[in-house]
Amino acid sequence: MKLSAFKFDLPSSHVALHPTENRDESRLMVIHKDTGEIEHKIFKDIVDYFDEGDVMVINDTKVFPARLYGNKEKTGAKIEVFLLRELNKEMKLWDVLVDPARKIRVGNKLYFGEGELVAEVIDNTTSRGRTIRFLFDGDEEDFYKMIDRLGETPLPKNIKRAAEPEDRERFQTIYAQNVGAVAAPTAGLHFTQAVMKRLEIKGVDIDPITLHVGLGTFRPVDVEDLTKHKMDSENYFVPESTSNRVNQALDEKKKVISVGTTVMRTLESSVSAGGRLKPNEGWTDKFIFPQYEFKICNALVTNFHLPESTLLMMAAAFGGYDLIMEAYQTAIKEKYRFFTYGDAMLII
């Protein structure tokens, strides 16, 4: 499969800059893989497509305010530091991106807030990447409180506006629990307590996995031959309780619904030789594109993704390339909203 197969014209006006007023009132396109039928619904209608014994798997990762603005020592030059992942808890070592990178060298000290948080650059990793060590005496809880106070919601660059106070809540699922993501698992942003309760009353089991979404989610593919693309690794955890419920649903021929591409990558990274889900934790760099053969899920909830993105490729692998690309053209014509704060698609 070639990168150019996933190119399409997306008017910039179709990229959602803000979420809908109510999470569960975004639009929902329902795509039936077996018939090719496309339905136009509202997200809260998703409950109608599932029954007792079905299992819905969600990603309970929690986004932290990973974008920090500070100043370089001596010159006072303004710098942006984007926290990617913690490398060592005790030493407070972090893998980060810096901007402007040309000004940030090994040995520089960076000051945040009124100088109550200081970091030292200790290594170069890529052109924009650095390893920094925070010089902070408090415990882990105090450190994260400081990051929470000084940091900004890490909206992706394609949302061309500054982060606003309400993004703290809306760039987060209502079931977020485990801190570690720098981007939201966007399919989950549409769920409300009311939708979750209606699913529960219907007998649908809702079970978590954790995958800490990294910036690699948005990294562009720069090779035409997709077999040569390498995904960034992301940390994941599949609890035993979730694997047991998923496997029971598979044995009973029930639906297993993946809420988002992050859940799909996690489940497909943890398949036993017998084609069942196993409890697991580790790092995954699995890249899913057509003609991938899925082992676990038979339904996928996802957003409308940008051209040539790995997320679109996974949706096309799951729903069938021709059908999904046709659905995307329909979405553009019908003015569906794309990207993080956009509308949702259910592929069944």
Side-chain angles (χ1 to χ4, degrees), residues 113-126:
E114 299 297 317
E116 62 263 57
L117 185 62
V118 182
E120 182 179 11
V121 182
I122 62 171
D123 197 12
N124 295 326
T125 52
T126 63

PDB file of all heavy atoms in Angstrom, residues 113-126:
ATOM      1  N   GLY A 113       7.678  29.522  35.105  1.00  0.00           N
ATOM      2  CA  GLY A 113       6.928  30.281  36.105  1.00  0.00           C
ATOM      3  C   GLY A 113       7.757  31.460  36.576  1.00  0.00           C
ATOM      4  O   GLY A 113       8.397  32.154  35.784  1.00  0.00           O
ATOM      5  N   GLU A 114       7.766  31.660  37.871  1.00  0.00           N
ATOM      6  CA  GLU A 114       8.587  32.737  38.462  1.00  0.00           C
ATOM      7  C   GLU A 114       9.947  32.185  38.891  1.00  0.00           C
ATOM      8  O   GLU A 114      10.552  32.685  39.828  1.00  0.00           O
ATOM      9  CB  GLU A 114       7.854  33.342  39.681  1.00  0.00           C
ATOM     10  CG  GLU A 114       6.514  33.966  39.372  1.00  0.00           C
ATOM     11  CD  GLU A 114       6.653  35.146  38.419  1.00  0.00           C
ATOM     12  OE1 GLU A 114       7.572  35.960  38.594  1.00  0.00           O
ATOM     13  OE2 GLU A 114       5.828  35.233  37.471  1.00  0.00           O
ATOM     14  N   GLY A 115      10.369  31.136  38.211  1.00  0.00           N
ATOM     15  CA  GLY A 115      11.651  30.528  38.558  1.00  0.00           C
ATOM     16  C   GLY A 115      11.519  29.422  39.589  1.00  0.00           C
ATOM     17  O   GLY A 115      12.513  28.868  40.064  1.00  0.00           O
ATOM     18  N   GLU A 116      10.239  29.045  39.915  1.00  0.00           N
ATOM     19  CA  GLU A 116      10.065  27.990  40.926  1.00  0.00           C
ATOM     20  C   GLU A 116      10.313  26.597  40.364  1.00  0.00           C
ATOM     21  O   GLU A 116      10.385  25.621  41.108  1.00  0.00           O
ATOM     22  CB  GLU A 116       8.686  28.076  41.594  1.00  0.00           C
ATOM     23  CG  GLU A 116       7.491  27.878  40.668  1.00  0.00           C
ATOM     24  CD  GLU A 116       6.888  29.187  40.188  1.00  0.00           C
ATOM     25  OE1 GLU A 116       7.596  29.992  39.602  1.00  0.00           O
ATOM     26  OE2 GLU A 116       5.678  29.375  40.401  1.00  0.00           O
ATOM     27  N   LEU A 117      10.412  26.490  39.050  1.00  0.00           N
ATOM     28  CA  LEU A 117      10.765  25.217  38.431  1.00  0.00           C
ATOM     29  C   LEU A 117      11.931  25.467  37.465  1.00  0.00           C
ATOM     30  O   LEU A 117      11.853  26.350  36.611  1.00  0.00           O
ATOM     31  CB  LEU A 117       9.570  24.627  37.676  1.00  0.00           C
ATOM     32  CG  LEU A 117       9.766  23.224  37.081  1.00  0.00           C
ATOM     33  CD1 LEU A 117      10.044  22.192  38.177  1.00  0.00           C
ATOM     34  CD2 LEU A 117       8.546  22.795  36.273  1.00  0.00           C
ATOM     35  N   VAL A 118      12.993  24.689  37.658  1.00  0.00           N
ATOM     36  CA  VAL A 118      14.204  24.858  36.848  1.00  0.00           C
ATOM     37  C   VAL A 118      14.564  23.512  36.232  1.00  0.00           C
ATOM     38  O   VAL A 118      14.382  22.458  36.857  1.00  0.00           O
ATOM     39  CB  VAL A 118      15.386  25.359  37.717  1.00  0.00           C
ATOM     40  CG1 VAL A 118      16.636  25.586  36.855  1.00  0.00           C
ATOM     41  CG2 VAL A 118      14.998  26.629  38.456  1.00  0.00           C
ATOM     42  N   ALA A 119      15.052  23.536  34.992  1.00  0.00           N
ATOM     43  CA  ALA A 119      15.509  22.311  34.335  1.00  0.00           C
ATOM     44  C   ALA A 119      16.862  22.570  33.690  1.00  0.00           C
ATOM     45  O   ALA A 119      17.182  23.704  33.315  1.00  0.00           O
ATOM     46  CB  ALA A 119      14.500  21.859  33.288  1.00  0.00           C
ATOM     47  N   GLU A 120      17.641  21.509  33.567  1.00  0.00           N
ATOM     48  CA  GLU A 120      18.939  21.598  32.908  1.00  0.00           C
ATOM     49  C   GLU A 120      18.949  20.668  31.707  1.00  0.00           C
ATOM     50  O   GLU A 120      18.473  19.528  31.777  1.00  0.00           O
ATOM     51  CB  GLU A 120      20.044  21.189  33.884  1.00  0.00           C
ATOM     52  CG  GLU A 120      21.437  21.311  33.290  1.00  0.00           C
ATOM     53  CD  GLU A 120      22.526  20.925  34.282  1.00  0.00           C
ATOM     54  OE1 GLU A 120      22.206  20.378  35.353  1.00  0.00           O
ATOM     55  OE2 GLU A 120      23.702  21.169  33.966  1.00  0.00           O
ATOM     56  N   VAL A 121      19.446  21.153  30.582  1.00  0.00           N
ATOM     57  CA  VAL A 121      19.538  20.341  29.367  1.00  0.00           C
ATOM     58  C   VAL A 121      20.774  19.458  29.475  1.00  0.00           C
ATOM     59  O   VAL A 121      21.885  19.968  29.654  1.00  0.00           O
ATOM     60  CB  VAL A 121      19.631  21.234  28.109  1.00  0.00           C
ATOM     61  CG1 VAL A 121      19.683  20.369  26.851  1.00  0.00           C
ATOM     62  CG2 VAL A 121      18.450  22.204  28.043  1.00  0.00           C
ATOM     63  N   ILE A 122      20.576  18.139  29.367  1.00  0.00           N
ATOM     64  CA  ILE A 122      21.731  17.251  29.552  1.00  0.00           C
ATOM     65  C   ILE A 122      22.100  16.435  28.306  1.00  0.00           C
ATOM     66  O   ILE A 122      23.160  15.829  28.253  1.00  0.00           O
ATOM     67  CB  ILE A 122      21.540  16.304  30.766  1.00  0.00           C
ATOM     68  CG1 ILE A 122      20.345  15.383  30.568  1.00  0.00           C
ATOM     69  CG2 ILE A 122      21.393  17.087  32.057  1.00  0.00           C
ATOM     70  CD1 ILE A 122      20.260  14.304  31.624  1.00  0.00           C
ATOM     71  N   ASP A 123      21.226  16.453  27.278  1.00  0.00           N
ATOM     72  CA  ASP A 123      21.595  15.702  26.069  1.00  0.00           C
ATOM     73  C   ASP A 123      20.756  16.175  24.880  1.00  0.00           C
ATOM     74  O   ASP A 123      19.633  16.658  25.052  1.00  0.00           O
ATOM     75  CB  ASP A 123      21.379  14.193  26.295  1.00  0.00           C
ATOM     76  CG  ASP A 123      22.101  13.326  25.267  1.00  0.00           C
ATOM     77  OD1 ASP A 123      22.955  13.872  24.525  1.00  0.00           O
ATOM     78  OD2 ASP A 123      21.804  12.114  25.204  1.00  0.00           O
ATOM     79  N   ASN A 124      21.301  16.025  23.681  1.00  0.00           N
ATOM     80  CA  ASN A 124      20.544  16.209  22.431  1.00  0.00           C
ATOM     81  C   ASN A 124      20.098  14.837  21.946  1.00  0.00           C
ATOM     82  O   ASN A 124      20.894  13.903  21.938  1.00  0.00           O
ATOM     83  CB  ASN A 124      21.433  16.835  21.341  1.00  0.00           C
ATOM     84  CG  ASN A 124      21.860  18.239  21.695  1.00  0.00           C
ATOM     85  OD1 ASN A 124      21.113  18.976  22.321  1.00  0.00           O
ATOM     86  ND2 ASN A 124      23.066  18.615  21.302  1.00  0.00           N
ATOM     87  N   THR A 125      18.861  14.708  21.528  1.00  0.00           N
ATOM     88  CA  THR A 125      18.378  13.415  21.033  1.00  0.00           C
ATOM     89  C   THR A 125      18.074  13.452  19.533  1.00  0.00           C
ATOM     90  O   THR A 125      18.450  12.565  18.792  1.00  0.00           O
ATOM     91  CB  THR A 125      17.119  12.977  21.808  1.00  0.00           C
ATOM     92  OG1 THR A 125      16.163  14.036  21.786  1.00  0.00           O
ATOM     93  CG2 THR A 125      17.471  12.636  23.253  1.00  0.00           C
ATOM     94  N   THR A 126      17.380  14.504  19.095  1.00  0.00           N
ATOM     95  CA  THR A 126      17.112  14.706  17.657  1.00  0.00           C
ATOM     96  C   THR A 126      17.308  16.190  17.387  1.00  0.00           C
ATOM     97  O   THR A 126      17.748  16.931  18.271  1.00  0.00           O
ATOM     98  CB  THR A 126      15.672  14.307  17.293  1.00  0.00           C
ATOM     99  OG1 THR A 126      14.762  15.161  18.010  1.00  0.00           O
ATOM    100  CG2 THR A 126      15.374  12.853  17.628  1.00  0.00           C
TER     101      THR A 126
END
